[in-house]
């Protein structure tokens, strides 16, 4: 299964039978989506920066709510990470609901945390803790910062962590670089932390026993 980082919080997962685009982003984020083809699109929250599904090619099924789904032999579970936001949905000042999606594709379980801004609720953690691969915001400035991202990653305990929503150059959002996260993790990304490519091929058998970090370069810069 191939994991490609497009930029911002946008990723494409491509397996043997289907492709999934997570949190497609418009060019206003500083990244070009490039109209990737997909069978499924997941949207973590209603912000335009996380839900530009009109930029995705094909006729994908759009998922933007919690629940359990099976599409083209891909199993997907959406979980609300901030229960207090869901409970206060009628409050104009309440935090925006964020839905994390856990995708099982080619026997690899990938958790995408969306625009996570705090620790996931205990209910969400039960589902997220199944993940082999974790796609986690690390750039701070309203989202998870390095310290919080390390805490969340430690609680989920995946075999592979891929950081997102960090400063790489073209982004319009104000974000920290990934260096703070790598230092706080106490781990070295492959290649000494330097981005090696904009995608990585992952198999269940190829994942190590201990948590590793892989920094990707954005495909859509």
């Amino acid at each position: 299964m191939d994991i490609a980082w497009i930029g911002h919080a946008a990723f494409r997962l491509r397996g043997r039978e289907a492709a999934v685009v997570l949190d497609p982003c418009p060019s206003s984020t500083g990244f070009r989506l490039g109209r990737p083809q997909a069978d499924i699109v997941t949207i973590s929250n209603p912000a335009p920066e996380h839900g530009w599904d009109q930029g995705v090619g094909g006729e994908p099924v759009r998922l933007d709510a919690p629940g359990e789904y099976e599409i083209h032999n891909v199993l997907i579970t959406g979980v609300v990470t901030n229960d207090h936001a869901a409970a206060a949905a009628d409050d104009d000042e309440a935090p925006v609901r964020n839905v994390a999606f856990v995708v099982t594709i080619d026997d690899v379980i990938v958790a995408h945390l969306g625009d996570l801004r705090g620790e996931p609720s205990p209910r969400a953690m039960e589902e997220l803790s199944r993940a082999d691969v974790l796609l986690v915001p690390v750039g701070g400035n309203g989202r998870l910062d390095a310290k919080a991202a390390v805490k969340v990653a430690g609680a989920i305990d995946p075999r592979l962590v891929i950081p997102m929503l960090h400063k790489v150059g073209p982004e319009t959002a104000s974000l920290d670089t990934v260096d703070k996260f790598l230092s706080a993790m106490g781990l070295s990304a492959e290649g000494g932390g330097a981005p090696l490519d904009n995608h990585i091929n992952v198999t269940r058998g190829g994942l190590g026993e201990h948590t590793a970090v892989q920094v990707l370069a954005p495909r859509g810069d």
Side-chain angles (χ1 to χ4, degrees):
M1 186 263 296
D2 185 79
I3 302 176
W5 186 35
I6 298 169
H8 200 65
F11 283 83
R12 186 192 64 189
L13 312 179
R14 186 169 58 191
R16 290 186 296 268
E17 299 184 55
V20 184
V21 171
L22 307 109
D23 276 17
C25 60
S27 60
S28 60
T29 60
F31 299 97
R32 293 176 289 106
L33 191 62
R35 201 164 181 79
Q37 299 292 308
D39 302 287
I40 305 162
V41 173
T42 67
I43 310 294
S44 66
N45 69 80
E49 295 82 4
H50 294 264
W52 198 57
D53 58 340
Q54 59 265 46
V56 179
E59 298 181 356
V61 177
R62 174 187 169 113
L63 303 178
D64 59 7
E68 296 182 357
Y69 312 90
E70 182 174 357
I71 303 166
H72 296 297
N73 293 320
V74 176
L75 303 177
I76 302 177
T77 301
V79 291
V80 177
T81 60
N82 46 349
D83 285 345
H84 59 288
D90 295 330
D91 183 351
D92 291 339
E93 297 183 359
V96 174
R97 184 182 74 173
N98 183 70
V99 180
F101 284 93
V102 180
V103 181
T104 303
I105 181 169
D106 291 0
D107 297 322
V108 177
I109 304 173
V110 180
H112 182 280
L113 298 186
D115 195 24
L116 187 67
R117 294 173 179 256
E119 292 184 35
S121 67
R123 183 183 306 176
M125 283 299 300
E126 291 182 12
E127 186 66 31
L128 296 172
S129 294
R130 299 192 300 112
D132 301 308
V133 180
L134 179 65
L135 312 178
V136 57
V138 304
N141 292 285
R143 300 177 173 91
L144 290 188
D145 60 14
K147 183 177 180 180
V150 168
K151 185 174 183 180
V152 170
I156 294 174
D157 193 28
R159 301 280 67 79
L160 179 63
V161 176
I162 300 176
M164 62 177 178
L165 285 166
H166 57 85
K167 182 177 181 179
V168 292
E171 67 284 327
T172 56
S174 177
L175 298 169
D176 296 331
T177 66
V178 73
D179 297 344
K180 292 183 179 180
F181 173 71
L182 296 177
S183 177
M185 280 288 288
L187 297 170
S188 296
E190 293 179 22
L196 298 180
D197 208 337
N198 52 36
H199 71 103
I200 181 174
N201 191 268
V202 177
T203 63
R204 189 170 188 83
L207 293 168
E209 295 182 5
H210 304 289
T211 301
V213 175
Q214 176 65 63
V215 180
L216 298 179
R219 173 168 288 184
D221 62 357

